Amino acid sequence: MEKREQIFDVSKDPYNHMSRMLFGRWKPFILMAMVFDEGKTNFSDFIKQLPISHKVLSENLRAMEEDGLIYRTVVPDAPPRTEYRLTESGLSMVPLLRAVYDAGWKDMTAKGMPIDTLGEMWHGYRERDDRLMTRVGKRGG
Amino acid sequence: MEKREQIFDVSKDPYNHMSRMLFGRWKPFILMAMVFDEGKTNFSDFIKQLPISHKVLSENLRAMEEDGLIYRTVVPDAPPRTEYRLTESGLSMVPLLRAVYDAGWKDMTAKGMPIDTLGEMWHGYRERDDRLMTRVGKRGG
DNA sequence: CAGTATCCTTAGGGATACTG
DNA sequence: CAGTATCCCTAAGGATACTG
C-alpha cells in the first residue's frame, strides 16, 4: 500500500530506469568489455574477466537483451558458439558510460583512492596491455 | 575470501564509486531537488517531496556530506533551521546527472513508458508548475 | 523541527551442482 | 561450452517510535 499522498513516483523516474537498465553492479563492465572487444564477446570471456558468477552473468545478459542493449547470436560452428553483440541502442550508451567513468575516475583520483587497472585500460586511461589480456586467457596468444 | 585469480577489482572501479556516491536510489533526487530550490533545502522539504523515510534520508544526507557533495548549516534562527547546500563538487555533478536523466527520458519515451511529472519539472521537461509545488507545502503560498 | 534507534522485509548477489 | 536451478546471506530500505 502507499503511505503518503506524494506527487513523486520513483518507479516512473528516468534515474531509476537508467540505474536498473545500465548502472547495475555489472552492466557497465559487461557493456564496456564488449566495446573493448570490438562490439562482441561470448559468455566464457565475461566469466574469465569478471569476478561474476554464471547465474548473475546470465541474468544480466538476459536483462540487457530485453532492454535492447545487446543481442544474442548462436554461431553454428562446431562446436557452436554464442556471441553477444551490442545493438545500436547499446552502442549509443557508450558516451554516457564514459562520462560517468571519467567523473568517477577524477573524483577517485582527487581523493587518492586506488583505481582498478583493467577498467582503466578499457577506458583509455592506460595503454592496451596484452599481458593483462593474456593472463585472463584468449586474446593474448 | 577470493574465489579466483582475477585482475578485475570491482571495489576499485569508478563505476562502482559513482554508483555508490551519486546513483543510489535517492541521491539524484536529493541533489536535483536542491538544484531546483536554488542550491539549498532543508530536511522536512525533502520529506515532503520524496516518499522517503527519515532514516533513509538521514543516511543519504550524511553519506553525501562525507563524499563532499553537500554541506550542512544550522541557521541560528528561532526556531533554528538546518540547511543543506550543494558544494562545488556537488554542483559539478549536475551536468552528468542531467545527461543520465536525458538518456533515461529518451529511452522511456521511445518505449512508451510513463514518466514521473515532478522529475520532469525538475529537469526542465515541463514548465515550473507551482500548483504541484503547493500540493507538497511551502513554496506555493 | 531535525533527526536516531529499532525492528522487519526483500532484492541482489554468491557458491555450487546440474543440464543440453 | 553455455547456461539453469537451488540455496544461502547480506545490505538497502521501510515503518514506527522515540529524543533533543
Side-chain angles (χ1 to χ4, degrees):
Chain A
M1 81 293 316
E2 60 185 25
K3 299 89 214 169
R4 196 179 317 198
E5 229 213 325
Q6 209 92 30
I7 62 179
F8 186 80
D9 186 344
V10 195
S11 71
K12 295 195 180 115
D13 195 279
Y15 286 124
N16 185 61
H17 177 69
M18 291 298 281
S19 212
R20 193 198 57 71
M21 184 173 86
L22 197 60
F23 295 110
R25 186 175 181 74
W26 296 111
K27 286 171 183 170
F29 310 132
I30 292 174
L31 208 150
M32 292 308 294
M34 295 173 74
V35 169
F36 192 80
D37 210 4
E38 284 130 44
K40 64 167 203 313
T41 311
N42 57 57
F43 196 87
S44 60
D45 279 338
F46 287 126
I47 293 286
K48 282 176 200 149
Q49 295 183 61
L50 303 171
I52 190 177
S53 73
H54 287 199
K55 181 196 128 191
V56 176
L57 175 58
S58 181
E59 285 169 355
N60 274 271
L61 289 172
R62 209 173 328 122
M64 291 173 79
E65 203 183 350
E66 277 163 20
D67 287 326
L69 297 173
I70 62 175
Y71 64 99
R72 223 177 73 119
T73 322
V74 178
V75 184
D77 275 358
R81 287 173 305 112
T82 320
E83 271 180 9
Y84 291 91
R85 291 173 179 270
L86 289 170
T87 61
E88 287 282 315
S89 170
L91 208 53
S92 77
M93 298 296 172
V94 174
L96 188 60
L97 284 174
R98 285 197 190 280
V100 170
Y101 188 93
D102 290 349
W105 192 90
K106 283 185 191 117
D107 193 66
M108 291 177 80
T109 300
K111 290 171 180 166
M113 302 168 71
I115 301 181
D116 170 73
T117 307
L118 183 59
E120 283 191 320
M121 197 173 74
W122 284 353
H123 292 82
Y125 281 82
R126 188 176 286 268
E127 292 288 303
R128 182 176 186 126
D129 183 345
D130 281 331
R131 287 169 308 162
L132 288 183
M133 306 313 288
T134 313
R135 281 184 60 195
V136 296
K138 199 187 164 202
R139 308 178 196 66
Chain B
M1 79 295 308
E2 60 186 24
K3 300 89 213 168
R4 197 180 313 199
E5 228 213 325
Q6 209 91 32
I7 62 178
F8 186 81
D9 186 343
V10 194
S11 72
K12 295 195 180 114
D13 195 278
Y15 286 124
N16 186 61
H17 177 70
M18 291 297 281
S19 212
R20 192 199 57 70
M21 184 175 84
L22 197 61
F23 295 109
R25 184 175 181 76
W26 296 110
K27 286 172 183 170
F29 310 131
I30 292 174
L31 208 149
M32 291 309 293
M34 295 172 75
V35 170
F36 192 79
D37 209 4
E38 284 129 44
K40 64 167 204 311
T41 312
N42 56 58
F43 197 88
S44 61
D45 280 337
F46 288 126
I47 293 287
K48 282 176 199 147
Q49 295 183 62
L50 303 171
I52 190 178
S53 74
H54 287 199
K55 182 196 129 194
V56 175
L57 175 59
S58 182
E59 285 170 355
N60 275 270
L61 289 172
R62 210 175 326 123
M64 291 172 79
E65 203 182 349
E66 278 162 20
D67 287 325
L69 297 173
I70 63 175
Y71 65 99
R72 221 177 73 119
T73 322
V74 178
V75 184
D77 274 357
R81 288 173 305 114
T82 320
E83 273 180 7
Y84 291 91
R85 290 172 180 269
L86 289 170
T87 61
E88 287 283 313
S89 170
L91 208 53
S92 77
M93 297 296 171
V94 174
L96 188 59
L97 285 174
R98 285 196 189 282
V100 170
Y101 188 93
D102 289 349
W105 192 90
K106 283 185 191 116
D107 193 66
M108 292 177 79
T109 301
K111 290 171 180 165
M113 301 167 72
I115 301 180
D116 171 73
T117 307
L118 183 59
E120 283 191 321
M121 197 174 73
W122 284 354
H123 292 83
Y125 281 82
R126 188 176 286 267
E127 292 287 305
R128 182 176 186 127
D129 184 344
D130 281 330
R131 287 171 306 163
L132 288 183
M133 306 314 286
T134 313
R135 280 185 59 195
V136 295
K138 200 188 163 203
R139 307 177 196 65

